[in-house]
Every structure is written in C-alpha cells, then in structure tokens.
Amino acid sequence: MTLTDDLLSANERYRDAFDAADLQVRPLQHLAILTCMDSRYTSQGVLGLSLGDAHVVRNAGGRVTEDVVRSLAISAALLGTRACIVIHHTDCGLLGRSDEELRDRVATASGARAPFGFLGFADLEQSVRDDVAALRSIPYFPPEYEILGFTYDVRTGRLAPVE
Amino acid sequence: MTLTDDLLSANERYRDAFDAADLQVRPLQHLAILTCMDSRYTSQGVLGLSLGDAHVVRNAGGRVTEDVVRSLAISAALLGTRACIVIHHTDCGLLGRSDEELRDRVATASGARAPFGFLGFADLEQSVRDDVAALRSIPYFPPEYEILGFTYDVRTGRLAPVE
C-alpha cells in the first residue's frame, strides 16, 4: 500500500458517513480562526464549532503574515466573516526558539539556508498580544471587524482569553 | 453573552471530554497537510486522521506561499514530518476569480486596496498541479520529502489524486 492508497481508503470510510453536502461556502457563524498547524487539536473541537461554521487559517505558530492577511481579507470581504479568533498554544515548536536557531535547523535538515524569518517567539501570551495588535493595524478588513486573542493549553484543553 | 463568553462556554464542554493530554508535539504519522481555510471539512476528517497524526496548514485556497514554506520547513526539520498532502477543493471562493476581482472586493469591503496578490485560480486540478510543482522546487525540505496532490469534492466528500 502506498501513502496515496492509504489516504484513499480512509477517504472511502469518510464518505460512508458523509453528511455535509448541503453546507454552503459562507461560514454560518461568520467566524475565522487563526491558529497553529499543531496536530493535537482542531480549532473546531476547542471552540465547539461544527462543520460549516468558521474558516480556519493555520500556519506554524498561528502567526500573522501577509498570507494570513490575504486569507482573512478574502474571508471577510467575499465570504462574510466578521471576526477573527487568534489562538496560540502551549508547547509550540516556535516557543522559546529564535529565528536563527530555526533557520539553522532547517538548513541542517535540507542543506539550504532560508532567507526569510521563521517567527519564533519567547512568550506565549505576548505573541498573542502582538498578533492581535498586528491584525488590528491592518486596513484590509471591514470597519466593524473584531479580533480576539486566546491561548490554548494542549495538556488540559483549556482556552484562556488574552487581554 | 459576548462572543468570548460563548467560546469559553463551548470550551468548557470540550474539556469535559478532553483526552488528548498525552499527545506529543511531533506528528505520529509524520504528515503535513496543506489545504484551504474552507469551513465545510477538516483535513483530519477527509483523510481519516486522528488528533496527533498530522500538521495542518490552511489558508485561502490551500495555495503555496512563503508562509506555507516557512511552516512546512519547520514541520519537517524540527518536528519530523516527511510528506505534504496538498488538497484544493470544489466550490472554492478563489476558483474562477482573478486577483483583480478579489482585490476589488477587498477594497470595497474595507476601503483599502491591498498591494499583494490574492492567488485566485481558474482550474482546480491545475492549481493543485501548480502548487505541488511549486513545493517540489523548494530547497528547504529534506531530500526524501514527498509531496502529493489531491482534489476534494465538498458535495460528495470524495478525495481524488491529481497526477
């Protein structure tokens, strides 16, 4: 069995119970989530959302980048989302790591040294505050667009607001 | 009830059934997924993955950007993933829309005109081919790193490989 065979077999089982055919492209709860690519949670799970409720943007750390702004701006302008929930989590691979260390690790594994930053961060709550502030300074969202920040604890499942 | 109150109440219910405390930061299946922010599916669901199995990177369209390369390079070098599954889907907000139309829509909603591209695409299978090729040309992944492309049909739940 190749990886493709494995994935297609799993997808056949998914289709046996598939019941999302009637959902539409506009998120029902008018929400977008920005969070980390971490494997240990889904934002739908953590926030009690159903399929169809919210856009989910994920990258290493849940950091704000141009690509995130692109995605959230389309989500709001085209598909009617009105708020973004930023969630960074405990035990993140970027937490406590400098850009230089991350660049070194990538260079060692790949043989090539990346010119861009890797967006490591030193403090979990501060990185949420920084990214909420970064998004609030972006002019490409509608006037009433709301941005809220939270931390997520991967050991307890607990979501906590960041003021 | 504010939005924060709603989210924290939902998270309390999530914690009542929380059983992911023992999962570790390195994905068990050594996989990363790159897919769209669309609300109608989770990549875990579509691929039959469990919590802890795979990193999930999501943006508008599931397109390859510098932020995606940053995320996947960290995923591979730091956290041991060995393959990326690229999934674009039917009925995507970016499908059939030009950058100019998307920029206009964002400008109308926000009052500000973004200088960057929005990565709209004309053909679903071709956009998967383009992004698989783009990732294969990136030097920041380990030598044996594998990249596979699929389409996902939001009306049927069907995953199909793109050659």
Side-chain angles (χ1 to χ4, degrees), chain B residues 89-102:
Chain B
H89 68 90
T90 59
D91 196 36
C92 183
L94 293 186
L95 182 56
R97 288 201 164 90
S98 68
D99 263 19
E100 202 47 33
E101 179 188 347
L102 292 165

Side-chain angles (χ1 to χ4, degrees), chain A residues 3-4 6-8 10-11 14-15 18 20-28 31 36-42 44-63 65-79 83 85 91-94 97 101-102 105-106 109-119 139-143 146 148 150 152-161, chain B residues 3-4 6-8 10-11 14-15 18 20-28 31 36-42 44-63 65-79 83 85 91-94 97 101-102 105-106 109-119 139-143 146 148 150 152-161:
Chain A
L3 176 55
T4 295
D6 285 342
L7 297 173
L8 294 177
N11 180 252
Y14 172 72
R15 277 185 282 155
F18 182 73
D22 294 333
L23 293 175
Q24 301 301 309
V25 68
R26 295 171 73 89
L28 291 166
L31 285 178
C36 185
M37 66 183 175
D38 191 274
S39 70
R40 292 167 285 183
Y41 64 97
T42 67
Q44 292 92 345
V46 167
L47 301 174
L49 299 170
S50 300
L51 289 184
D53 279 350
H55 281 146
V56 181
V57 177
R58 304 187 75 160
N59 65 18
R63 305 307 314 266
T65 65
E66 182 177 285
D67 189 37
V68 166
V69 172
R70 174 187 74 88
S71 300
L72 296 177
I74 288 172
S75 171
L78 205 71
L79 299 169
I85 314 298
D91 195 36
C92 183
L94 292 186
R97 288 202 165 87
E101 179 188 348
L102 293 165
R105 295 287 293 266
V106 169
S110 69
R113 198 161 187 84
F116 47 77
F118 280 92
L119 309 183
Y140 309 122
F141 305 128
E146 192 174 5
L148 297 172
F150 294 86
Y152 173 69
D153 187 325
V154 296
R155 295 282 164 252
T156 64
R158 183 160 191 265
L159 189 75
Chain B
L3 176 54
T4 295
D6 285 344
L7 297 173
L8 293 178
N11 179 252
Y14 172 72
R15 277 186 282 155
F18 183 73
D22 294 333
L23 293 174
Q24 301 301 309
V25 67
R26 295 171 74 90
L28 291 165
L31 285 177
C36 184
M37 65 183 175
D38 191 273
S39 71
R40 292 167 287 183
Y41 66 97
T42 66
Q44 293 92 345
V46 167
L47 301 174
L49 300 171
S50 301
L51 290 185
D53 279 350
H55 281 146
V56 181
V57 177
R58 305 187 74 160
N59 65 19
R63 305 306 313 267
T65 64
E66 182 177 286
D67 189 37
V68 166
V69 172
R70 174 186 74 89
S71 299
L72 295 177
I74 288 171
S75 171
L78 204 71
L79 299 169
I85 314 298
D91 196 36
C92 183
L94 293 186
R97 288 201 164 90
E101 179 188 347
L102 292 165
R105 294 287 293 268
V106 168
S110 69
R113 198 161 188 83
F116 46 78
F118 281 93
L119 309 184
Y140 309 121
F141 306 128
E146 193 175 6
L148 298 172
F150 294 85
Y152 173 70
D153 187 325
V154 296
R155 294 280 163 254
T156 64
R158 185 161 190 266
L159 189 75

